[in-house]
Structures are given as structure tokens and as C-alpha cells.
Amino acid sequence: MEIRDIEIFLTLADELHFGRTADRLRVSVARVSQAIKKQERGVGAKLFDRTSRSVRLTTVGEQLRADLRPVYQGLSESLERARLAAQGKTGVLRIGMLSSNAYDLRPYWEAFRARRPEWGLQIRNVSFQRPFEPLRTGEIDVLVSWLPVEEPDLTVGPVLFTEPRVMVVNPDHELADARSVSAEAFGDHGVLKGPDSLPDYWEDAFSPFRTPRGRPIERRIVVPNLDDLFTVVGTSQVAHTLGAHAARFHGRPDIVYLPVHDGPRLRWGLVWSSDKESAPVRTLAQVVRDLGGMTG
């Protein structure tokens, strides 16, 4: 099995969607399908159960994912160390982001590189389906996550930025022409539901279960990722809440962003695995403390 085919399998095992896997790896859907079929022929069993509406790992697929992930991670790290050595660098800090505003955070990345030029820095997107798994498996070194994070094995570092919230609706929604909305409006219109894998306290911090006055906020359709969220909102009368940076980085003709003029701001900070804390992680945390958090 070639390294690229392993990467395709592991990415599909995470995304459970051929289109998103292709987009993430910048290959065609046909290339993804071809690689999986080739692997299934080699193994002699189905790795995924596929229907027109869902993709699921089989028992054999689950086992292969568990076996291949550490092998692939080791190979990737070895190749990365070789590339860094060729550039005169001695290590790399891998940052996973649940937000999409890495561009806005460039002052932190540039300060880190200036302070320790012998270290590389990589930034990648992380799925909110299993937000802390990449930290625990060692795929990333530090996560940019909304707060609070209350996991006993994870350390929460300094706050990177805070921002107001927005309501996301489609242009035909009854609130679409409003200049702003109150957080109480979510009690009337509900929100989308995150995957069951999300800790309740963490989902509540991003998309509260109750309005400021204590009214319950109905959870409706489950969405596993941001692309599906936009698709559902853009094609129906449901609403959702996001951080205000989404309005800048995810402009779409089928989506309207309405500022929420009350309610708590979202806080985003650095999080890392306590038993994998390293000098690059500590350096980035100090850079954020020295520069201070941003306010959106």
C-alpha cells in the first residue's frame, strides 16, 4: 500500500465523505474511490459500508485504521524531519485549528518564527467531530479551540482572541433583513445540533442550550462539519450561531450573517496535551502572552 493510499484511507475514515476527502487532499473523488477499491481488493474485505446517504467503517476498516494510523504518523514525521533537516531546522510545531482565521493570527506565527527560526511551524484544519483526538494521538502539538476546555489530560493556555457571535440564516429567512438580533432569538428559531461526540459543556459554550433568559434552545438537524452546516442553513429555514470571523472567511450567496448584539463573546485559546508539552509549545504560549490576545 502506497503512502498516498494510506493517507486517502485515513482521511476518508475521519471524514466519512468522499467529496470532503477529495477536497481535503486536493484529488478527485474518482481517485479516492479508486484507492479504496484497490485497498479492499488487497485486504480481501470491505473497509467501508457505502450507501447514497452515508459512509461507515466496517469492523475490518476500524481495525485497519487503528493499525495504520501510528504507522502513517511515524512515516510522515520521519519525512518531515528529513525535510526540516534539509532546511536547517531542528523541529516543527504542528498547530490544529477549529477556527478558520489563521490569516488573522499571522502576528503570532511570525513572532514564533522570528523568536525561534530553527523551528518550523505548520497549520492545519481539525474536525470538530473529534476535536481533542489529534492532540491525544500526537497528530498535532497544540490546538486553537473555543473555550472552556475541561479535559483532565489537556492543558489550557493563553487566550488568542475573543469575538462576538453571529446568527447564520439564508436570505429568505424571516430575520434575514434585520441589522442585528438578540441571543433570545435562538429560543424562537433553534439551532443545528453538533455530533454526539462533542462534550455537552463544550457544545454549550459555542452554541448555548438556553437563551440568556433561560428559555431552552431547540436542537434540530445534526451537522458533522462546517460545509454541511452551510448547506443545511442555505437550503432551509433553520438558523445557527457562529463566531463573527466566519462572516469574513466564509462569504456565500446563500448565507446571511446577523450580528448578535448581546450574549457572551466567544473565547479562543491554545490547548495542548499535558504529557506532550514541549519547548515549541511553551514558546508559542509565551509569544501569545507577550503579544496579548486579539479582540474581534
Side-chain angles (χ1 to χ4, degrees):
M1 192 181 293
E2 298 177 0
I3 292 179
R4 186 58 162 170
D5 288 343
I6 295 174
E7 183 179 32
I8 288 173
F9 167 76
L10 291 174
T11 304
L12 183 58
D14 287 341
E15 295 288 348
L16 297 178
H17 190 284
F18 279 77
R20 289 196 298 271
T21 298
D23 290 343
R24 183 168 152 188
L25 297 178
R26 297 183 180 180
V27 299
S28 67
V29 173
R31 174 70 177 90
V32 176
S33 180
Q34 179 186 40
I36 298 303
K37 288 178 181 178
K38 176 183 174 182
Q39 293 166 31
E40 289 178 332
R41 287 195 299 269
V43 171
K46 291 179 65 176
L47 301 176
F48 295 90
D49 285 324
R50 308 187 274 283
T51 70
S52 60
R53 301 186 65 180
S54 68
V55 178
R56 296 178 182 273
L57 278 165
T58 64
T59 302
V60 174
E62 292 276 7
Q63 181 62 58
L64 185 61
R65 178 176 65 172
D67 290 342
L68 281 182
R69 192 179 294 281
V71 174
Y72 175 74
Q73 185 176 330
L75 286 170
S76 298
E77 290 175 355
S78 296
L79 290 171
E80 183 59 30
R81 284 194 294 269
R83 282 192 290 265
L84 290 170
Q87 299 169 15
K89 297 186 182 297
T90 60
V92 61
L93 179 68
R94 299 162 302 169
I95 301 172
M97 293 192 61
L98 287 162
S99 60
S100 53
N101 58 340
Y103 179 85
D104 287 340
L105 304 179
R106 285 182 305 158
Y108 300 117
W109 319 146
E110 292 168 357
F112 175 87
R113 291 182 173 117
R115 192 169 296 189
R116 298 303 298 263
E118 73 274 21
W119 291 334
L121 184 147
Q122 294 179 346
I123 299 172
R124 63 187 69 171
N125 291 324
V126 174
S127 169
F128 62 77
Q129 292 188 60
R130 291 175 293 276
F132 308 127
E133 182 178 310
L135 285 174
R136 289 167 173 149
T137 61
E139 294 176 52
I140 60 173
D141 303 302
V142 63
L143 175 69
V144 177
S145 169
W146 71 78
L147 303 177
V149 170
E150 300 171 356
E151 304 295 308
D153 60 327
L154 303 181
T155 296
V156 178
V159 173
L160 274 166
F161 67 99
T162 65
E163 62 178 345
R165 301 166 190 264
V166 292
M167 175 183 276
V168 190
V169 298
N170 74 28
D172 297 323
H173 194 278
E174 63 181 273
L175 295 178
D177 293 329
R179 290 188 176 183
S180 68
V181 296
S182 168
E184 285 296 319
F186 290 108
D188 299 322
H189 298 277
V191 294
L192 300 175
K193 180 175 174 18
D196 291 339
S197 58
L198 301 189
D200 284 348
Y201 79 86
W202 197 61
E203 182 179 358
D204 180 56
F206 189 89
S207 182
F209 294 141
R210 292 185 174 273
T211 70
R213 295 179 183 173
R215 290 192 296 152
I217 298 176
E218 181 185 356
R219 255 52 182 172
R220 297 183 177 175
I221 304 169
V222 176
V223 290
N225 55 64
L226 195 59
D227 286 339
D228 283 354
L229 185 155
F230 287 135
T231 298
V232 171
V233 171
T235 57
S236 64
Q237 288 297 303
V238 301
H240 197 61
T241 180
L242 290 173
H245 77 268
R248 181 179 178 195
F249 292 98
H250 299 283
R252 296 170 51 128
D254 57 344
I255 292 294
V256 175
Y257 295 97
L258 306 173
V260 178
H261 57 251
D262 55 6
R265 296 171 66 89
L266 274 172
R267 298 184 304 127
W268 298 81
L270 299 182
V271 182
W272 59 87
S273 182
S274 301
D275 63 357
K276 295 183 178 70
E277 184 176 302
S278 63
V281 169
R282 289 192 292 271
T283 297
L284 179 63
Q286 191 58 51
V287 163
V288 175
R289 294 186 186 102
D290 292 345
L291 296 183
M294 294 182 174
T295 301

